[in-house]
Amino acid sequence: METPRIDIWYGIAEIMDFGYPQNLSPEILKLYITQEGVRSPFSSKPKDKPVPNATLQVTGAVGWRREGLAYKKNEVFLDIVESVNLLMSSKGNVLRCDVTGKVLMKCFLSGMPDLKLGLNDKIGLEKESEMKSRPAKSGKTIELDDVTFHQCVNLTRFNSEKTVSFVPPDGEFELMKYRITEGVNLPFRVLPTIKELGRTRMEVNVKVKSVFGAKMFALGVVVKIPVPKQTAKTNFQVTTGRAKYNPSIDCLVWKIRKFPGQTESTLSAEIELISTMGEKKSWTRPPIQMEFQVPMFTASGLRVRFLKVWEKSGYNTVEWVRYITKAGSYEIRC
Amino acid sequence: MTGMRGLSVFISDIRNCQNKEAERLRVDKELGNIRTCFKNEKVLTPYKKKKYVWKMLYIHMLGYDVDFGHMEAVSLISAPKYPEKQVGYIVTSCLLNENNDFLKLAINTVRNDIIGRNETFQCLALTLVGNIGGRDFSESLAPDVQKLLISSSCRPLVRKKAALCLLRLFRKNPDAVNVDGWADRMAQLLDERDIGVLTSSTSLLVALVSNNHEAYSSCLPKCVKILERLSRNQDVPQEYTYYGIPSPWLQVKAMRALQYFPTIEDPSTRKALFEVLQRILMGTDVVKNVNKNNASHAVLFEALSLVMHLDAEKEMMSQCVALLGKFISVREPNIRYLGLENMTRMLMITDVQDIIKKHQSQIITSLKDPDISIRRRALDLLYGMCDVSNAKDIVEELLQYLSTAEFSMREELSLKAAILAEKFAPDLSWYVDVILQLIDKAGDFVSDDIWFRVVQFVTNNEDLQPYAASKAREYLDKIAIHETMVKVSAYILGEYGHLLARQPGCSASELFNILHEKLPTVSTPTIPILLSTYAKLLMHTQPPDPELQKKIWAVFKKYESCIDVEIQQRAVEYFELSKKGAAFMDVLAEMPKFPERQSSLIKKAEDVEDTADQSAIKLRAQQQPSNALVLAEPQPVNGAPSPLKVPIVSGSTQDPDSVARSLSQPNGTIGNIDPQIPSPDLLSDLLGPLAIEAAPEAVSTDQHGPIGAEGVPEEVDGSAIVPVEEQTNSTELIGNIAERFHALCLKDSGVLYEDSHVQIGIKAEWRGHHGRLVLFMGNKNTSPLTSVQALILPPAHLKLDLSPVPDTIPPRAQVQSPLEVMNIRPSRDVAVLDFSYKFGTNMVNAKLRIPATLNKFLQPLQLTSEEFFPQWRALSGPPLKLQEVVRGVRPLALPEMANLFNSFHVTVCPGLDPNPNNLVASTTFYSESTGAMLCLARIETDPADRTQLRMTVGSGDPSLTFELKEFIKEQLITIPMGSRAIVPAAGSGPAQPVAQPPSPATLADDPGALLAGLL
C-alpha cells in the first residue's frame, strides 16, 4: 500500500500544482508513473519499454500526443452516438424533446497527422459556401447547440473557417459533444389507450410505430407500460415480441428484439386488479417508457461529409464511420 | 409451519438481499404473485391460502403496506383445522384494527370458537378479541366471555385469557359488564387459587373499580387478602416468584385497585392491610441486582402511594420518608430520581413535611447531581418543602446553585427563588437582598416581573426604602452590572436616593455620576427609567445644585431629538417641568403605593411548569386553602407576615392622604410618570381598584368635599364604609337585595349585597359561554369576620366553580374570590350564593342570587335586512319560532323599550320592519350545547294599547327559543327597578338611549353607575 500512495501523491502534485490545475490528461499522467506495481513472480517478465520524456510532451506544442508513433495500418474510427429525450402528451403533442450527441473517435495513426472533419451542420456549410462563393447546397443542415470540443481541436481555425481540424490524441477519445433541440426525427411513435373498467378491470392498448427508413431496424426495443399496484392478473396479445407483467416495477414490459423501420406493432392487454382495503386512491398514471437502439440512424440528421487525414509521410488511411441513436428518457404520457 | 417451502424460500430470499432496494423488488414481486394467486380462486387450495397469508404477514412485519388479502385472512378463521385457523387469527389481529369492517364478518365465527369445546380454539379467539375487539365484539361476546371466566370446568389458561379479553371489552364499552350481577362474581374470582388467573382478574378489577368503586366494595377485603397471601404467607408457587418476590405484578395491581376505594372502613381489614404495607416498607431495600431492585421498588412505590392515599398514621409516614431518605442517598441515579420524585409526592401530606426536612441537606446535595433530571426533581422538592422555617437556607442554597446551574434551568431556578423569597421572607430586607443578589447573579434569567415586584415591595414599605436604596447604591459600585440591576437601582435611587443623602458617596450629584456612567451601556427601554431618575434626583436636590442641574439638562437636551418616542417625550417634558420650580416638586412627588395584587410570579411559575406530572408547585397549590387574595391592614413595621398562611402581603390602600394626593395630581402627569408602574397582571389591574378605591374615595369626599375632576356627586352614600365609631353588633341590611340583583342583571359590576358589616361587590366578564365573576367580600369593621362561608348552589344548566373563600376576613380588608361560570344550555334559572359569616356572636346568613342570567350569554349583534330576513324565514314555526300575545305589559314608549332590549344585549335593528310600531331585534346566544346561536325577535306593539303586544322569537334551538321568549316576557312585564333608576340618575331625559351595553371599563370609574347599584 505504501508505494501506490506515494504514486498517488505524486500524481496529485502533477495534476494540481499549488492548487492550480496543471495537467489533467490521463495519457500524459500515465508517463509519470515510473514505479512498477507489485507483480506476482509468475507473471510474464515486464517488457522493456522506452521511457518517453513526459516533460517534453507537456511543454511541447502538442501536449496530448506523443511523437514517434507508428502503426502498420492507419485506421480512424468515428462514431456518432445520439440519445433522444422525449416527453409526449397522451394526445401526441411533443412537450419536450431534445437530442444529446457525442462524436467518439478512435485513432491508430502514425506520426503527427492533421485531421479535418466536415459535418452537415449549418454554420460549417454556410461558411464553406461563402468561401467558395457559391450558393449553399439545398439539403438538410443541422443547427448544433452547445458544442464542446476536445482540447485537441484548433479553436482559432474553427472560429475563422468553422471547420473542425485537429491533431488527434492516440487511442480513444471524445472529439465533441453537442445538443439539438429543433428538427428532431423521432424514431418511434407510441399511441396508447388505457381504459379503467370499474374497480377491478383495465384494458390497455398500445400501438408502436417505427418512423425511420424501411431499410433500417431498431434493436432491443423495450416498452414499459405502467399499471396500478394492485394488478393481479394479466392477459396479453402482442403482434410481435413478448410481454409480461413485472410486479417489482409495476409495469407491463414488452420486449421486441428487432423492429424494422416503417412498421407498426400493437399490444393489447386485459388486466384484473385485486380489491384493496384502503380507500381507493386514484391511480396517478405514470408515463410509458421506451428503450431502443437504432443503428445507422441519427435523430438529429447529422452526417459526416468528410474526414480528411493529412500527414507528412502521406500514408493512406482507412476511415470507419458509424451512427447510432439510443433512447434517453423516452416517455409518453397515457 | 413446517413444510411450507415457498414461505421459507421467500424468507431466505429476503434475508439474502444485499440492500433495501433489492428487498423491495423481491417483496413487490411476491406481492404480485400473491395477488395473482388470490385472484385465481379456482386453484387456491387451503394450503396455498395459508402459505400466502403467512407471506403477507411477513411482508407486513417488514414494514411494507399490505392492503389486500384481508378477506382471505379473515376467511381462514373459519377453517376447520388448527394450522389454517391459527394463521387466520394471527394475521387478522396483526393486519386489521378494531374499526375495520371485515372484522364484523368474523364476529360469528369467533363466537363459535369461544363457545366451542376446543380449548386451543378458545384461546385463539380470546386472544384476537383481547387484542382488537371493538364495540361490536363487546356487544355480542361479553356474556360468553364472562361465562368462560367464571366457569369452573375451564382450565386456568383459558380463564386467564378470558379475563383479559373481558377487560378489553369493558374498556371498549363499559356497559358490557353488568354491575349488579358481576360484582359478586368478581369477588368470587378474587378467591382464585391460580396466580395467573388472579393477576388477569385483578387487572380487570382495576379497570372496573376505576369506573365505579362503590359497586365493587365487596372486592376490597379480597384485595387485602391477596396481599396478605402474597406478602405475609408467601403462598405462591415457585414459577410466580420473581427474584424471591412473590408475584410483584399481582401485588402492584392489588394495591392499585385499593387506591380506587376512598377509605377502608372495616378496622380489621385496615389493620391487616397496614400490616402488609408495613412488611413491604420494612422488607424493601436497595440491592445489587437491577431486576430485583426494579421489581421490589415497583411494589414499594405502589405501597407508598397507597399509604399516602390511606392517610396512614404518622409513624408509617415517617417510615416511608426514612426509606425514601435512604433512596436519595444511594449512588444509583434511577433510584435517587424515584426517591426524590416520591418525596415530592409525599409533600401532599401535610404532617410529613417536618420529617422530610431532616433530609434537606441530602436533597441539596442532589441539586449538584450530574443528572439533570435528578437536579430538576431536587429543585421541585426543595421548592415544595420550603416554608418559613427553612426558607432562608433553601433560598441561599438556590442562589449559590444559580451561578453553577446550567442555562436551561436558570430561569426556572431564579423564578422559584424569587417566589420562595417573597412567600416566606422572615423580614423584608432579606427579601430585597435576595432579589438583588438574584439579579446580580442571573440577570439574564430574571424576568421583569421579579424586579417589578421588588419595586412594589419597596414602594409599599417605608422602612425598607433607605435600606433598599443603600443596597442599590452598593451594587452600582460593581464594575459590570446587569441591565436589570441598572433598572431596579435607578428606580429605587430615583425614588429614595435622597434618603441616603447624608451617607458618603450618596449625594445627588454622586448618584447621578454613577448612574450616568451606566447610560451608554444600556438598551433603549432602560433609558427612560434613567431619565426619570435624573429628574427625580434633580427634584430632590435641595437647595438646587446648579452644576448638577446643568449636567442633567444637558442630558435632557441630548435626548430631545432621540428617535425613540418614549425617550424623546420624557426628555422634553422633564426638561420643561424642571424649569417650573415648585410645581416640579408636586408633579414628581413620590410614587403612590401600589394596590396590592396577587403575585404574578406564582402565576408565571404555574405556566413555566415542567412536564413532570406531579410538580411541587401544583401540589402546593392544591394544599393551599385558597388562592383568594387577602389584603390586610397596613402594618408593615410590626405586622410581619404570620407563618403558614396564604401569602399575606402587607400594603396600604387606606391612607386617605396619599390617595387624596394621588387623586389630586393632574391626570396628564400621572400618565407621564406612570409607564414604569409595573402591571404584571392586567386582570387584577382591572379588578383591583374597583371596590377598594371606591371606599377611600367616599371617605375623602367626606373630608375634602367633591374633587372636581372626578365629579363624585355630593349625595354619595358615605355608608360604604361604616365609620369606626358607629360599629354595632346588630346587622342592618343596606339596600334591597332584589333590586341590586336586577340592576346587576343588566350590568357587569356593582354591589350584590351589603349590610352593616360586610359588602359584597361583584364584577363580571363574559366571553361566549364562559364568564368570570369576582366576588369582593369586604369587611367594613375593625374586627374580623369569622366563619365566613360562601357556597354556590348551581342550577343544572350552569357550571360554577368558586375558589374557596378564607374562613376569616381580617378587619377592614377585602377578599377577592374568583368564580368561573360556564353555560351549558339555555335556561332562565339562576345560581344562588349561600353566604354566611359570624360577627361577634351573631350568625348572619344570606341567600343571594348570582347575576349569571340568560342575557349574560347573549352578545349584541346588529343585522342588516339582507342578513335578517333569510334567517327569519328559515326558522319556520314552532318549536324553533314561537309567538305569543303578551298582556299586562308595563306601558313603555318604543325608544324606551328599545333601550331595554339593548340593555340585555338583544340588539334592536332599526328600519328593518316597515311598521314603525314594531321592533326587530337580533342577538347571539352562547352555551356549550348550542355553541354560538343566532336568535331573532320581533315585537309588534299596539299604539292604542301599550299594555299588550305580540312577540315572536326564533332561534335554531327549541329550548333556547322558549327560554328566550320567557325571559323577554319577564323583562317586559316586571321591568326591573334598577334599570329604570339608571336613567334619571344619569341626569338625562328618560328617552335618552342606553344604546350600548355598559362596558366594564366605563363602569369601573363611573360613579353614576356605582350609585345606581347602591340605590
Side-chain angles (χ1 to χ4, degrees):
Chain A
M1 204 49 218
E2 201 56 30
T3 336
R5 190 157 72 193
I6 290 168
D7 278 350
I8 290 165
W9 285 341
Y10 187 44
I12 290 172
E14 279 303 320
I15 295 166
M16 304 280 277
D17 215 0
F18 296 109
Y20 295 102
Q22 300 284 331
N23 188 355
L24 299 172
S25 161
E27 289 299 319
I28 298 166
L29 286 170
K30 270 182 201 168
L31 301 177
Y32 284 101
I33 304 172
T34 51
Q35 302 267 357
E36 277 178 16
V38 183
R39 281 175 186 280
S40 88
F42 307 107
S43 68
S44 58
K45 223 185 141 207
K47 273 179 263 169
D48 280 330
K49 14 176 226 206
V51 179
N53 189 341
T55 334
L56 204 74
Q57 194 177 331
V58 177
T59 51
V62 187
W64 53 88
R65 190 178 174 94
R66 259 190 302 139
E67 284 194 52
L69 289 166
Y71 288 96
K72 272 185 204 148
K73 199 176 173 187
N74 292 303
E75 284 180 304
V76 186
F77 298 87
L78 191 140
D79 290 353
I80 296 185
V81 182
E82 295 191 335
S83 69
V84 196
N85 300 313
L86 170 78
L87 180 65
M88 197 182 256
S89 75
S90 52
K91 290 179 188 124
N93 300 331
V94 175
L95 301 174
R96 195 184 67 213
C97 177
D98 62 275
V99 174
T100 54
K102 288 189 253 190
V103 180
L104 300 173
M105 284 195 87
K106 204 185 228 176
C107 292
F108 301 110
L109 294 172
S110 318
M112 273 289 180
D114 208 347
L115 276 76
K116 200 169 171 189
L117 174 69
L119 299 167
N120 61 339
D121 65 316
K122 203 173 172 187
I123 29 172
L125 286 176
E126 274 169 8
K127 191 76 187 177
E128 199 173 308
S129 58
E130 193 182 289
M131 277 168 61
K132 292 182 182 163
S133 63
R134 64 168 186 223
K137 264 186 266 174
S138 62
K140 206 176 169 199
T141 58
I142 313 294
E143 209 167 330
L144 301 176
D145 299 335
D146 307 336
V147 186
T148 49
F149 290 111
H150 188 263
Q151 63 156 334
C152 65
V153 175
N154 188 338
L155 290 178
T156 42
R157 271 173 84 186
F158 179 76
N159 286 338
S160 58
E161 297 169 28
K162 302 292 176 197
T163 51
V164 183
S165 64
F166 53 98
V167 177
D170 195 35
E172 208 175 326
F173 68 102
E174 188 184 290
L175 179 67
M176 62 188 279
K177 282 193 286 195
Y178 58 88
R179 204 163 60 86
I180 286 171
T181 47
E182 273 164 35
V184 178
N185 312 317
L186 293 176
F188 288 101
R189 294 235 158 228
V190 181
L191 307 163
T193 42
I194 296 184
K195 275 185 251 169
E196 287 178 70
L197 310 166
R199 280 184 63 126
T200 56
R201 261 165 50 77
M202 266 176 66
E203 245 180 44
V204 177
N205 235 307
V206 180
K207 190 190 278 180
V208 179
K209 235 183 196 173
S210 56
V211 286
F212 46 86
K215 284 180 195 160
M216 291 185 269
F217 52 85
L219 294 174
V221 179
V222 179
V223 187
K224 290 181 186 164
I225 305 147
V227 288
K229 224 174 158 45
Q230 60 267 35
T231 301
K233 240 167 102 182
T234 46
N235 245 325
F236 301 103
Q237 281 185 326
V238 286
T239 51
T240 40
R242 238 184 238 171
K244 67 170 189 188
Y245 166 57
N246 186 344
S248 44
I249 52 171
D250 295 316
C251 281
L252 303 179
V253 182
W254 177 23
K255 288 182 181 163
I256 304 160
R257 202 178 297 160
K258 193 167 174 183
F259 201 125
Q262 300 297 340
T263 53
E264 64 175 56
S265 171
T266 53
L267 168 142
S268 58
E270 274 183 27
I271 295 167
E272 281 185 56
L273 308 175
I274 202 161
S275 54
T276 59
M277 284 312 300
E279 72 282 12
K280 176 89 174 152
K281 284 168 262 168
S282 63
W283 179 45
T284 49
R285 289 185 178 240
I288 293 177
Q289 293 179 334
M290 222 180 144
E291 293 166 17
F292 52 81
Q293 285 189 2
V294 192
M296 302 317 284
F297 170 81
T298 50
S300 57
L302 193 72
R303 295 275 152 210
V304 174
R305 292 195 297 123
F306 56 83
L307 176 64
K308 289 176 191 157
V309 180
W310 184 84
E311 217 275 340
K312 282 180 282 187
S313 58
Y315 52 72
N316 283 332
T317 51
V318 188
E319 295 106 16
W320 304 91
V321 179
R322 275 198 302 184
Y323 303 96
I324 192 163
T325 297
K326 292 179 186 168
S329 97
Y330 204 83
E331 295 182 331
I332 299 95
R333 289 190 182 156
C334 52
Chain B
M1 221 190 284
T2 49
M4 277 186 282
R5 206 168 144 266
L7 178 62
S8 40
V9 167
F10 172 62
I11 291 176
S12 67
D13 274 1
I14 292 283
R15 288 188 181 153
N16 290 335
C17 281
Q18 296 289 321
N19 51 34
K20 196 75 192 157
E21 184 56 22
E23 184 187 297
R24 195 190 61 77
L25 289 175
R26 182 70 186 88
V27 165
D28 278 345
K29 189 180 158 198
E30 195 59 44
L31 282 176
N33 198 5
I34 299 172
R35 284 196 295 262
T36 318
C37 267
F38 282 172
K39 202 73 190 179
N40 289 341
E41 269 149 27
K42 275 167 263 165
V43 294
L44 192 64
T45 59
Y47 165 76
K48 274 194 174 170
K49 212 183 204 179
K50 178 181 72 173
K51 183 176 76 178
Y52 286 125
V53 171
W54 273 126
K55 280 187 185 175
M56 271 167 50
L57 179 63
Y58 188 69
I59 291 170
H60 173 76
M61 277 159 55
L62 288 173
Y64 296 93
D65 195 22
V66 180
D67 57 354
F68 64 92
H70 300 171
M71 191 61 214
E72 279 74 13
V74 171
S75 71
L76 275 177
I77 290 181
S78 52
K81 282 199 219 135
Y82 176 73
E84 276 104 56
K85 204 182 256 301
Q86 179 207 23
V87 62
Y89 272 118
I90 292 179
V91 175
T92 306
S93 53
C94 286
L95 292 185
L96 303 187
N97 65 16
E98 59 177 290
N99 302 320
N100 203 304
D101 288 336
F102 271 127
L103 272 184
K104 290 194 182 129
L105 304 175
I107 291 184
N108 217 16
T109 330
V110 173
R111 179 158 187 269
N112 284 336
D113 279 339
I114 286 181
I115 58 178
R117 300 269 77 197
N118 189 326
E119 247 171 28
T120 331
F121 291 178
Q122 281 177 333
C123 286
L124 282 176
L126 288 172
T127 316
L128 174 91
V129 179
N131 280 318
I132 57 168
R135 227 188 143 79
D136 300 328
F137 277 87
S138 95
E139 274 156 14
S140 48
L141 293 182
D144 300 318
V145 179
Q146 289 177 6
K147 218 175 281 167
L148 267 190
L149 179 54
I150 51 176
S151 106
S152 51
S153 59
C154 278
R155 280 210 294 165
L157 175 72
V158 179
R159 297 176 59 207
K160 200 153 71 174
K161 287 189 169 26
L164 293 177
C165 179
L166 191 59
L167 172 61
R168 165 92 186 187
L169 298 182
F170 173 74
R171 281 184 182 149
K172 289 294 149 190
N173 174 15
D175 300 332
V177 179
N178 187 1
V179 175
D180 300 334
W182 191 248
D184 296 340
R185 300 212 170 127
M186 196 68 228
Q188 277 169 30
L189 271 178
L190 295 177
D191 287 333
E192 175 67 42
R193 289 294 307 160
D194 185 273
I195 301 278
V197 179
L198 202 52
T199 312
S200 314
S201 311
T202 322
S203 300
L204 177 61
L205 178 71
V206 169
L208 292 173
V209 167
S210 69
N211 202 33
N212 177 2
H213 65 82
E214 283 149 17
Y216 294 95
S217 55
S218 58
C219 298
L220 194 150
K222 308 274 178 163
C223 285
V224 177
K225 208 159 272 166
I226 293 172
L227 283 174
E228 270 187 297
R229 173 182 161 193
L230 291 178
S231 135
R232 196 181 62 195
N233 308 347
Q234 307 259 332
D235 172 17
V236 177
Q238 186 55 41
E239 63 265 31
Y240 282 105
T241 50
Y242 182 76
Y243 287 93
I245 306 158
S247 187
W249 302 277
L250 183 53
Q251 289 194 46
V252 165
K253 276 178 186 158
M255 286 193 275
R256 177 70 52 84
L258 284 173
Q259 281 170 60
Y260 283 105
F261 295 105
T263 49
I264 299 176
E265 305 289 350
D266 181 30
S268 62
T269 319
R270 198 177 159 89
K271 190 164 158 272
L273 180 61
F274 278 120
E275 201 181 307
V276 171
L277 290 175
Q278 184 79 28
R279 192 178 286 273
I280 293 172
L281 293 181
M282 296 290 286
T284 313
D285 210 341
V286 179
V287 292
K288 268 265 169 69
N289 189 313
V290 181
N291 291 331
K292 182 168 185 183
N293 260 345
N294 285 345
S296 64
H297 293 166
V299 175
L300 174 72
F301 289 131
E302 206 57 49
L304 278 181
S305 43
L306 185 56
V307 168
M308 282 185 251
H309 172 76
L310 292 174
D311 267 341
E313 296 86 19
K314 194 156 181 186
E315 300 94 83
M316 195 167 241
M317 291 291 182
S318 56
Q319 210 175 353
C320 293
V321 177
L323 200 58
L324 289 176
K326 216 191 290 175
F327 272 44
I328 60 173
S329 50
V330 165
R331 273 175 61 88
E332 169 68 26
N334 287 342
I335 297 175
R336 226 169 19 211
Y337 179 91
L338 289 168
L340 288 170
E341 195 185 13
N342 276 283
M343 226 180 229
T344 317
R345 288 170 62 184
M346 293 288 286
L347 282 174
M348 280 220 272
I349 299 144
T350 28
D351 50 351
V352 294
Q353 277 175 354
D354 294 334
I355 320 171
I356 293 181
K357 264 184 228 160
K358 286 184 201 147
H359 300 280
Q360 190 173 320
S361 61
Q362 188 60 46
I363 299 167
I364 287 171
T365 328
S366 297
L367 208 53
K368 291 161 187 126
D369 197 275
D371 188 330
I372 178 147
S373 42
I374 291 184
R375 287 196 299 260
R376 281 190 184 283
R377 282 294 82 81
L379 178 59
D380 260 2
L381 181 54
L382 276 181
Y383 178 72
M385 66 190 275
C386 188
D387 61 20
V388 182
S389 65
N390 55 5
K392 217 163 175 163
D393 296 339
I394 288 182
V395 171
E396 255 149 43
E397 201 54 56
L398 291 184
L399 280 179
Q400 247 180 39
Y401 176 50
L402 193 61
S403 36
T404 53
E406 70 270 52
F407 290 95
S408 57
M409 248 172 104
R410 282 195 188 178
E411 177 157 13
E412 196 189 338
L413 196 59
S414 57
L415 186 65
K416 284 187 170 165
I419 292 172
L420 291 180
E422 180 182 328
K423 261 192 194 163
F424 302 114
D427 58 277
L428 290 168
S429 55
W430 179 77
Y431 171 71
V432 172
D433 274 352
V434 167
I435 301 296
L436 288 181
Q437 259 187 62
L438 201 63
I439 296 174
D440 184 40
K441 280 190 174 158
D444 285 334
F445 304 97
V446 173
S447 58
D448 280 347
D449 293 331
I450 294 178
W451 82 264
F452 288 171
R453 196 73 189 148
V454 103
V455 164
Q456 273 181 11
F457 261 102
V458 173
T459 311
N460 289 359
N461 291 288
E462 267 170 43
D463 28 333
L464 201 56
Q465 290 161 0
Y467 179 77
S470 70
K471 269 283 168 193
R473 171 71 186 81
E474 270 174 37
Y475 274 104
L476 279 180
D477 279 339
K478 289 202 172 182
I479 300 155
I481 61 172
H482 194 267
E483 190 168 332
T484 311
M485 184 62 91
V486 177
K487 286 183 195 170
V488 67
S489 43
Y491 188 95
I492 291 177
L493 288 178
E495 290 293 327
Y496 312 111
H498 60 281
L499 300 175
L500 300 178
R502 261 171 289 161
Q503 287 179 29
C506 294
S507 73
S509 61
E510 277 164 312
L511 287 179
F512 169 76
N513 285 339
I514 196 161
L515 280 172
H516 198 55
E517 268 173 30
K518 313 288 180 202
L519 184 74
T521 62
V522 297
S523 60
T524 332
T526 314
I527 296 177
I529 301 179
L530 283 172
L531 292 184
S532 305
T533 307
Y534 297 165
K536 294 224 168 185
L537 283 176
L538 193 58
M539 183 266 292
H540 282 303
T541 359
Q542 293 305 341
D545 175 354
E547 200 176 323
L548 178 65
Q549 193 178 40
K550 222 167 79 191
K551 277 191 207 157
I552 291 179
W553 281 2
V555 177
F556 289 159
K557 272 279 171 222
K558 182 180 157 204
Y559 282 104
E560 258 174 17
S561 52
C562 180
I563 194 158
D564 187 275
V565 180
E566 180 67 36
I567 300 175
Q568 188 187 24
Q569 187 181 358
R570 284 191 193 214
V572 172
E573 287 179 4
Y574 290 151
F575 182 65
E576 289 305 320
L577 282 170
S578 61
K579 287 183 185 160
K580 288 216 183 308
F584 186 44
M585 298 278 283
D586 278 346
V587 173
L588 291 182
E590 196 171 296
M591 288 299 284
K593 298 197 169 167
F594 290 93
E596 280 306 336
R597 45 170 72 103
Q598 187 186 359
S599 170
S600 61
L601 293 183
I602 293 170
K603 271 180 214 153
K604 194 170 170 198
E606 280 158 13
D607 298 341
V608 179
E609 208 68 331
D610 59 347
T611 46
D613 52 346
Q614 292 281 8
S615 168
I617 305 175
K618 269 189 200 153
L619 297 179
R620 193 157 269 280
Q622 290 161 5
Q623 260 172 264
Q624 278 169 1
S626 148
N627 61 354
L629 172 63
V630 178
L631 301 178
E633 183 74 347
Q635 255 134 24
V637 194
N638 38 21
S642 57
L644 281 176
K645 256 196 188 167
V646 222
I648 288 183
V649 208
S650 54
S652 149
T653 50
Q654 274 147 324
D655 175 2
D657 278 329
S658 76
V659 176
R661 191 175 57 199
S662 77
L663 284 174
S664 62
Q665 280 172 1
N667 272 335
T669 22
I670 290 181
N672 279 339
I673 321 173
D674 262 5
Q676 324 88 300
I677 291 183
S679 54
D681 180 0
L682 277 177
L683 190 65
S684 60
D685 257 352
L686 267 176
L687 298 179
L690 167 76
I692 312 168
E693 285 185 356
E697 216 172 274
V699 172
S700 64
T701 346
D702 284 344
Q703 293 171 348
H704 310 286
I707 298 166
E710 295 290 309
V712 178
E714 272 182 275
E715 60 274 15
V716 159
D717 186 356
S719 66
I721 283 192
V722 177
V724 183
E725 313 84 72
E726 283 174 25
Q727 251 179 51
T728 50
N729 260 352
S730 65
T731 315
E732 273 172 49
L733 199 61
I734 300 171
N736 180 333
I737 296 180
E739 277 174 21
R740 287 186 194 277
F741 170 74
H742 284 302
L744 280 172
C745 284
L746 298 181
K747 56 203 191 73
D748 282 339
S749 62
V751 178
L752 181 66
Y753 171 83
E754 187 169 359
D755 61 22
S756 45
H757 308 305
V758 74
Q759 184 195 42
I760 303 179
I762 202 160
K763 184 167 169 68
E765 279 176 71
W766 304 94
R767 191 163 298 134
H769 65 282
H770 288 283
R772 184 185 154 91
L773 282 87
V774 183
L775 298 175
F776 298 87
M777 284 163 266
N779 182 359
K780 302 202 286 190
N781 295 311
T782 43
S783 52
L785 294 181
T786 53
S787 309
V788 178
Q789 270 195 328
L791 285 175
I792 293 279
L793 314 171
H797 75 287
L798 289 178
K799 207 176 135 195
L800 291 144
D801 189 9
L802 179 70
S803 328
V805 174
D807 194 45
T808 313
I809 306 181
R812 313 225 88 163
Q814 197 186 40
V815 174
Q816 293 179 17
S817 180
L819 170 65
E820 303 287 344
V821 184
M822 193 167 77
N823 189 19
I824 296 166
R825 57 175 182 274
S827 166
R828 281 165 301 138
D829 297 340
V830 286
V832 173
L833 172 75
D834 185 351
F835 180 79
S836 61
Y837 65 92
K838 210 177 204 171
F839 179 71
T841 51
N842 283 15
M843 190 74 192
V844 183
N845 185 302
K847 300 252 188 309
L848 305 166
R849 282 182 286 173
I850 294 200
T853 45
L854 183 73
N855 63 317
K856 300 289 185 185
F857 304 102
L858 296 176
Q859 244 170 42
L861 174 74
Q862 185 94 38
L863 287 185
T864 62
S865 59
E866 299 90 72
E867 293 160 340
F868 185 87
F869 287 109
Q871 300 278 1
W872 184 253
R873 278 182 216 113
L875 300 167
S876 52
L880 293 185
K881 192 149 86 177
L882 298 170
Q883 196 168 60
E884 188 179 334
V885 175
V886 187
R887 295 203 168 74
V889 177
R890 281 194 74 107
L892 276 176
L894 216 52
E896 235 174 299
M897 193 184 288
N899 282 345
L900 179 65
F901 271 82
N902 282 331
S903 71
F904 53 82
H905 298 190
V906 180
T907 323
V908 173
C909 311
L912 282 193
D913 201 308
N915 185 341
N917 287 317
N918 291 356
L919 280 180
V920 169
S922 61
T923 185
T924 321
F925 178 77
Y926 290 87
S927 77
E928 198 179 55
S929 64
T930 59
M933 188 157 282
L934 184 71
C935 309
L936 306 171
R938 181 159 180 247
I939 311 289
E940 292 155 279
T941 60
D942 181 2
D945 181 4
R946 286 231 164 265
T947 62
Q948 69 171 14
L949 49 79
R950 187 163 68 178
M951 171 165 75
T952 319
V953 177
S955 79
D957 182 77
S959 64
L960 172 57
T961 309
F962 177 75
E963 295 289 344
L964 188 63
K965 189 198 74 176
E966 291 300 307
F967 178 79
I968 296 177
K969 201 166 86 182
E970 277 173 18
Q971 297 292 320
L972 289 173
I973 293 176
T974 56
I975 296 164
M977 304 303 288
S979 75
R980 287 181 67 235
I982 291 179
V983 186
S988 339
Q992 173 168 2
V994 190
Q996 291 299 316
S999 71
T1002 55
L1003 269 180
D1005 43 21
D1006 176 12
L1010 269 178
L1011 183 65
L1014 292 169
L1015 285 171

